[in-house]
Amino acid sequence: VLKVGELLFNPSTLEVTRAGKQLTLTKTGYKLLACLMREAPKVVSREKLEAEVWGDAPPDSDALRTHIHTLRQAIDRAQPFAMLRTVQGIGYRLLISDEKN
């Protein structure tokens, strides 16, 4: 089980909770979340996230941004602070408190 603050993810059952509330993610969302949680609180580059999801064949479009947006909606909506943060021009990271980037 991966744990970052109040966010828990069991990769074997695909159960995700934040503050005890069950969350539902997309297949890609689970892959992104697992990578971000393993690396937290470090910044994970866009390239590393793309490799995690698409391997050696990343999409030509900016699909990662769309998937990150969907993941952010799932884990941060209706919460007191956003855990998933963008590090401009580099990548993304998960934070356990409302600290600034």
Side-chain angles (χ1 to χ4, degrees), residues 15-82:
E15 290 183 71
V16 179
T17 60
R18 178 166 178 193
K21 181 182 175 199
Q22 189 81 27
L23 307 175
T24 303
L25 305 180
T26 64
K27 180 179 172 182
T28 301
Y30 289 118
K31 291 179 182 180
L32 291 171
L33 184 61
C35 184
L36 288 163
M37 290 183 81
R38 282 193 306 269
E39 299 292 328
K42 296 185 288 187
V43 176
V44 182
S45 71
R46 293 179 53 84
E47 294 78 18
K48 182 170 184 163
L49 288 169
E50 287 174 345
E52 185 81 17
V53 175
W54 295 286
D56 293 334
D60 293 332
S61 67
D62 198 11
L64 179 63
R65 186 188 334 225
T66 302
H67 289 290
I68 288 288
H69 173 77
T70 302
L71 178 60
R72 183 176 277 130
Q73 290 297 309
I75 67 172
D76 289 336
R77 184 183 30 208
Q79 296 293 330
F81 71 94

